[in-house]
Amino acid sequence: PFTLVLARSGRSMDLPAGTPLLPALRALGAAVEASCEGGICGACRVRWLEGPPIHRDRVLKPAERATDCMACVAGCAGPRLVLDL
Ligand code: FES
């Protein structure tokens, strides 16, 4: 399990390990675009502040992964994932 935290709105939600972020973000009221929902289009890119995320996408370059993740496929490798939302 991990805690998904939205830094700007101050909202958070506890999620089971392996849960995709996108439905949780919608439930928390975050406005995140999405299209493919499979980690290939880049629409759902979000900035992360604390992690690390598990990436699973096919669009981000290694340097981009240091700051961003794809909400439709990303998970969390630690106890807390903080997003810049
Ligand atoms: Fe396409 Fe996430 S919706 S990469």
Side-chain angles (χ1 to χ4, degrees), residues 5-85:
V5 179
L6 307 189
R8 281 191 260 154
S9 72
R11 294 183 176 165
S12 67
M13 186 183 277
D14 291 331
L15 297 174
T19 306
L21 303 181
L22 198 55
L25 291 176
R26 287 176 174 149
L28 290 169
V32 177
E33 298 289 321
S35 177
C36 72
E37 303 203 12
I40 54 175
C41 76
C44 65
R45 184 169 173 166
V46 294
R47 184 162 286 256
W48 63 273
L49 303 171
E50 212 181 293
I54 299 167
H55 285 281
R56 301 194 193 106
D57 67 84
R58 297 185 190 187
V59 284
L60 292 175
K61 298 185 177 76
E64 296 174 319
R65 291 185 171 195
T67 54
D68 292 22
C69 66
M70 289 301 167
C72 67
V73 289
C76 178
R80 228 163 95 92
L81 183 63
V82 182
L83 300 179
D84 187 20
L85 290 171

